[in-house]
Amino acid sequence: MVTNTERHETATERTTDSRSRVWFGQVRAFTERCLREVMNSWTMLLTVLALPAGLQLFYGVLWEGVPTAMISSAAVGTAVFGAMYICLYIFGYLLAGDLEDRRYAAYRSMPLSPSADLSGRMLAGIVLAAVAFVLTILAGVVTGGSFAIRGLASVPVVVLAFLLTCIFWMIVAVPFVVYAKNERVAEYAVPLIGMLGYMGTGFNGVMVDLAPIEGEILNYLPNTLPTRLLVYHLVPADDWVELGVAPPAMPTGPEYVLLMVVYAVLAVVVGTMIVNKVLYKRGWWP
Amino acid sequence: MSRQEPTERSGDDERNQSRDRPCIRVSSLEKSFGDEGVLKGIDLTVETGELLAVMGPNGVGKSVLFSCLAGSDHPSAGTVEVLGADPTTRSDTTGFLLQDALCVDRLTGRENLRFYEQLHPNFTDDWREYVEALDIADDLDKRVENYSGGMKRKLELAIALSIDVPLYLLDEPTAALDLTMIQAVHGLIREKQAEGKTVVVSSHRPMDVEIADRIAFVADGRVVATGPPDELFEAVPTVVETRLSNAEALAEIARGGEVFQGNGGVRGFLSADSVEAVDLEGTADAEFEIVSPGYTDLFNYYTRLSPTNGR
């Protein structure tokens, strides 16, 4: 015989299941939609996917006679730039389109989860950034670079560093887009942040001689830290000073991974608050 | 019609809807953007299963009112209740057609439909019937950026009506549509009403008023008149028409000194005093002619001249 408590628990489980199903459905909706929007536009697709790989090929032509490990490091720096650029451009541009067309007024009238909205967009950004990253690394190989995983423990660090970079830089786009409410600002101005970060830190901290800033700070900035982590784990080299990647010493300790996690968590908290409060007008936290 | 499974809450709501309880209850609603007050004290009740047409000149705040009813905007003052709840805290009761806001231009019509199908737990397969009825079934694989204004409107309407909810808020659903399509849209709206749904429509078109149970006229941020079309017509003063060249003479006797464009001439509303003072029958060359008020006269009277409008 089924007791009232059991019946209540079954009903609660069913409601939770239903909510999870709806949440995942909404994540999928936003992911699919963002990917389709990009796929439907050859211009957008080429701009975001071919730009970093194209840059790497261009450098390859200029850098004849440069040591293999230096080309590899530069390719990682450019690949991270590509991921940042895509995250800023795609995430910002598509979000700005929704804002400019007043689509959020319609979304607010629907039972939508702001976290599903944010997660879906971020998932699409990560997929595109991953494609651009791999293409740029391949371009690095074509231009004479070589890559190898330092060890088994490098695999989660590389994956984590890449994901956290994407998450952080996508959220950076949110406040700019939300307060500018303009597709053009999102299309042209927001990606410039990535470009400035890349150029202003010597290819994201892999060519320290070119960077106007120097010292330990290159192991702490949200663009240079993941890049230097990735270089350490993907480029088969040991003499980083000779390659021009150090000083500072490479960020090899777990504390640097932890710092990246902190950056990403902070970004997600800020992004969630802005999406909840400003876009969905539902208070600061879900 | 086929349906995807609606959420439990929505199903319960519809079952629990009491005919005695209004679907919408708005009291002293005010909405400002900065210093600019758009809604200045709206009071409105919409009964469950009713079809209400909201009419008013451009820029009086109809879309803002709809946004408050849909829970998209928080009121600056006053209260809004939809099915007994604040719509900003509960968003599973309303289908909201907002002008040019639903469709993503870079996607095809079909991709847009798929997006909302995945997005809204109450989205149904009814869109298949609606795209046929609205004659856009063959255009679903084209990108929306290549659609005309009317096609875009039809797709948005198909999306909004495919969401199975007790209340539909349709902001100018027939804008940019030809006469045949307007009839088709009216058919779909009537179908929704026959299913027991409540429908609130904003419009400038007299044709849209013909299907309404009641009309609410909005002017200067307030609801200045509500009622069934027949009752509102009865309260309209005598309408007089004259030639364009005679506009000044009509203005002298017309209520508020205002005349409006008529069918090839100008029209004005006469107060009881004016009717007695002016010998309409005896006027040479029939300069003034009493005419039956149409929907345009109704619109002009309630939004520009009605005593409740402060004019």
Side-chain angles (χ1 to χ4, degrees):
Chain A
M1 193 175 157
V2 182
T3 64
N4 278 343
T5 313
E6 283 170 337
R7 208 173 284 132
H8 177 71
E9 280 172 3
T10 313
T12 309
E13 279 167 22
R14 208 169 42 232
T15 309
T16 310
D17 277 356
S18 165
R19 279 187 193 153
S20 308
R21 196 161 36 83
V22 168
W23 190 86
F24 281 112
Q26 292 177 348
V27 170
R28 190 177 161 190
F30 277 103
T31 305
E32 257 192 54
R33 183 207 122 175
C34 291
L35 290 175
R36 280 180 200 279
E37 273 194 81
V38 177
M39 298 301 201
N40 284 354
S41 165
W42 277 106
T43 321
M44 210 190 288
L45 199 62
L46 283 175
T47 306
V48 296
L49 295 185
L51 177 71
L55 265 180
Q56 183 55 37
L57 292 173
F58 175 68
Y59 295 148
V61 174
L62 293 180
W63 293 344
E64 253 182 78
V66 171
T68 302
M70 199 177 271
I71 293 174
S72 310
S73 303
V76 173
T78 309
V80 172
F81 159 70
M84 284 163 52
Y85 185 84
I86 285 182
C87 291
L88 288 164
Y89 179 85
I90 294 297
F91 194 87
Y93 186 50
L94 300 185
L95 182 64
D98 275 354
L99 274 169
E100 213 171 284
D101 293 343
R102 299 178 304 139
R103 215 161 283 125
Y104 271 93
Y107 293 163
R108 285 195 294 273
S109 74
M110 299 176 186
L112 294 196
S113 160
S115 64
D117 175 343
L118 193 61
S119 306
R121 290 176 191 275
M122 287 172 79
L123 204 55
I126 287 169
V127 169
L128 292 166
V131 174
F133 187 89
V134 170
L135 286 177
T136 313
I137 294 296
L138 286 176
V141 173
V142 170
T143 51
S146 72
F147 303 89
I149 288 285
R150 190 163 285 272
L152 213 56
S154 295
V155 176
V157 176
V158 167
V159 172
L160 201 65
F162 173 76
L163 288 179
L164 297 177
T165 304
C166 292
I167 291 169
F168 180 86
W169 288 99
M170 276 189 268
I171 301 290
V172 166
V174 176
F176 286 95
V177 171
V178 164
Y179 291 103
K181 290 182 182 170
N182 186 305
E183 228 177 41
R184 297 284 84 78
V185 169
E187 189 176 9
Y188 301 114
V190 174
L192 270 183
I193 301 166
M195 186 67 89
L196 288 174
Y198 173 63
M199 303 304 255
T201 56
F203 287 34
N204 280 340
V206 296
M207 292 191 171
V208 290
D209 286 346
L210 297 178
I213 49 173
E214 57 183 32
E216 270 301 308
I217 194 167
L218 291 175
N219 279 340
Y220 296 104
L221 294 174
N223 62 320
T224 55
L225 169 59
T227 310
R228 291 169 65 78
L229 256 173
L230 287 166
V231 166
Y232 177 76
H233 287 279
L234 289 176
V235 177
D238 288 314
D239 194 346
W240 302 109
V241 177
E242 192 189 329
L243 290 174
V245 184
M250 296 303 275
T252 55
E255 67 274 18
Y256 291 105
V257 178
L258 189 68
L259 180 61
M260 286 210 59
V261 173
V262 170
Y263 279 148
V265 169
L266 275 177
V268 168
V269 168
V270 171
T272 305
M273 287 166 72
I274 294 175
V275 169
N276 264 279
K277 179 70 179 174
V278 183
L279 300 183
Y280 282 89
K281 300 184 179 177
R282 288 185 192 167
W284 288 108
W285 199 248
Chain B
M1 271 189 223
S2 57
R3 270 175 49 171
Q4 285 183 337
E5 41 191 348
T7 58
E8 287 172 33
R9 258 168 67 177
S10 172
D12 289 345
D13 289 338
E14 281 187 69
R15 280 192 291 279
N16 295 337
Q17 264 183 39
S18 161
R19 283 275 159 189
D20 300 332
R21 186 179 66 181
C23 179
I24 298 174
R25 200 197 306 260
V26 179
S27 176
S28 308
L29 170 64
E30 292 177 22
K31 181 68 187 173
S32 306
F33 296 96
D35 294 335
E36 190 191 351
V38 179
L39 304 180
K40 301 169 185 170
I42 296 264
D43 292 300
L44 185 68
T45 302
V46 185
E47 300 301 331
T48 299
E50 189 177 24
L51 203 169
L52 177 81
V54 176
M55 300 197 83
N58 290 326
V60 292
K62 297 190 296 296
S63 296
V64 177
L65 170 63
F66 274 50
S67 287
C68 290
L69 298 180
S72 294
D73 270 323
H74 290 262
S76 305
T79 56
V80 178
E81 277 183 23
V82 173
L83 298 171
D86 176 354
T88 60
T89 60
R90 185 173 174 188
S91 48
D92 60 346
T93 52
T94 309
F96 185 23
L97 172 72
L98 190 63
Q99 289 181 64
D100 297 327
L102 281 180
C103 292
V104 181
D105 285 355
R106 282 184 287 265
L107 299 181
T108 65
R110 198 178 301 283
E111 287 168 344
N112 269 287
L113 285 159
R114 179 167 169 74
F115 174 56
Y116 286 101
E117 190 171 32
Q118 292 174 324
L119 202 63
H120 203 297
N122 290 17
F123 200 86
T124 67
D125 278 343
D126 293 352
W127 65 266
R128 294 176 197 283
E129 181 204 333
Y130 299 147
V131 295
E132 289 289 347
L134 297 170
D135 202 22
I136 51 166
D138 294 336
D139 300 304
L140 289 183
D141 294 317
K142 292 179 189 164
R143 272 201 241 164
V144 171
E145 63 193 1
N146 297 324
Y147 278 21
S148 67
M151 286 163 73
K152 202 170 167 182
R153 185 106 293 235
K154 288 189 263 184
L155 180 63
E156 289 181 322
L157 196 60
I159 291 168
L161 293 179
S162 296
I163 298 170
D164 183 32
V165 280
L167 169 65
Y168 293 91
L169 300 167
L170 310 177
D171 192 8
E172 303 206 18
T174 57
L177 299 187
D178 60 49
L179 294 178
T180 312
M181 276 304 126
I182 290 173
Q183 296 290 359
V185 171
H186 287 176
L188 297 179
I189 292 174
R190 281 201 187 97
E191 205 174 278
K192 283 289 172 196
Q193 198 189 12
E195 289 169 13
K197 313 291 187 184
T198 307
V199 185
V200 183
V201 178
S202 81
S203 178
H204 300 286
R205 289 178 183 271
M207 272 183 88
D208 290 337
V209 179
E210 288 169 14
I211 59 165
D213 297 321
R214 269 194 317 142
I215 307 171
F217 284 105
V218 178
D220 195 28
R222 293 178 182 84
V223 173
V224 291
T226 54
D230 290 348
E231 282 181 22
L232 292 171
F233 268 116
E234 277 173 27
V236 173
T238 306
V239 181
V240 174
E241 188 171 85
T242 188
R243 294 188 307 274
L244 200 56
S245 57
N246 222 12
E248 279 183 27
L250 179 59
E252 280 176 22
I253 57 169
R255 186 178 276 209
E258 287 208 43
V259 295
F260 306 93
Q261 285 293 325
N263 296 328
V266 287
R267 289 182 174 197
F269 301 94
L270 296 188
S271 61
D273 294 347
S274 303
V275 174
E276 286 167 15
V278 179
D279 181 8
L280 291 159
E281 298 299 326
T283 308
D285 302 328
E287 283 180 0
F288 299 107
E289 183 189 358
I290 293 178
V291 292
S292 300
Y295 281 105
T296 309
D297 301 310
L298 195 70
F299 182 90
N300 285 333
Y301 175 66
Y302 284 108
T303 60
R304 299 187 182 180
L305 284 178
S306 165
T308 49
N309 189 18
R311 302 281 297 266

